[in-house]
Amino acid sequence: MKWIKRFVAVIIGLPVALVIIWGMYQAFGMYVNHNATREQTRTLQMNLESEISDIEIISVYSETGNTSGTGNHVDCLSLITFSTEMEEKEIEARMSRYYVFDDRSCYVSKTEDGHYNIYINTSAPFEDNIEGH
């Protein structure tokens, strides 16, 4: 009779343990993904400040998650709005030592009020995390 009780306990406990392990893995993935986004944004800001002497940072925005709304994946998005006397092409030329500009996942654009946005969107380390679903 004891072996039946143990067998039932294992049968019930195993799925619970697997759900807990899966949840911990997903939480760890979210933590790593958010840290990657913070680091990407911090590095982008440092690179901008080191390459553009007259830069004035207007705003810094970052987001971790499914930024495109399509598919089940997690992205690391960094967007910095800044002002400078440089032109868009010169900004891209200076920043091209750090980034590959492709007009989709990495680009510089001028805003209506004369500022610039630099946009970088990369895949997260835990790309298939629950945060992207």
Side-chain angles (χ1 to χ4, degrees), residues 25-41 62-66 73-78 122-133:
Y25 175 76
Q26 293 298 320
F28 175 74
M30 289 172 63
Y31 173 78
V32 170
N33 288 345
H34 283 270
N35 275 343
T37 302
R38 275 192 295 277
E39 181 63 24
Q40 174 179 289
T41 305
S62 64
E63 180 181 339
T64 306
N66 187 338
H73 64 279
V74 181
D75 300 316
C76 299
L77 170 78
S78 301
T122 60
S123 293
F126 284 80
E127 184 176 23
D128 194 28
N129 188 267
I130 194 168
E131 194 170 26
H133 295 267

Side-chain angles (χ1 to χ4, degrees), residues 13-26:
L14 188 58
V16 171
L18 290 174
V19 167
I20 290 170
I21 291 169
W22 179 82
M24 290 172 57
Y25 175 76
Q26 293 298 320

Side-chain angles (χ1 to χ4, degrees), residues 56 58 81-84 108-117:
E56 180 185 338
I58 307 298
T81 304
F82 61 97
S83 64
T84 182
V108 176
S109 64
K110 194 163 191 170
T111 64
E112 292 177 4
D113 55 0
H115 301 306
Y116 291 100
N117 285 328

Side-chain angles (χ1 to χ4, degrees), residues 41-60 80-84 86 91 94-95 98-99 118:
T41 305
R42 185 186 69 77
T43 302
L44 175 59
Q45 185 171 350
M46 281 181 15
N47 292 339
L48 282 168
E49 290 171 342
S50 71
E51 293 296 325
I52 303 172
S53 60
D54 68 337
I55 193 167
E56 180 185 338
I57 303 290
I58 307 298
S59 68
V60 177
I80 297 180
T81 304
F82 61 97
S83 64
T84 182
M86 288 184 186
I91 295 167
R94 290 200 181 195
M95 297 302 290
Y98 306 105
Y99 306 103
I118 187 164

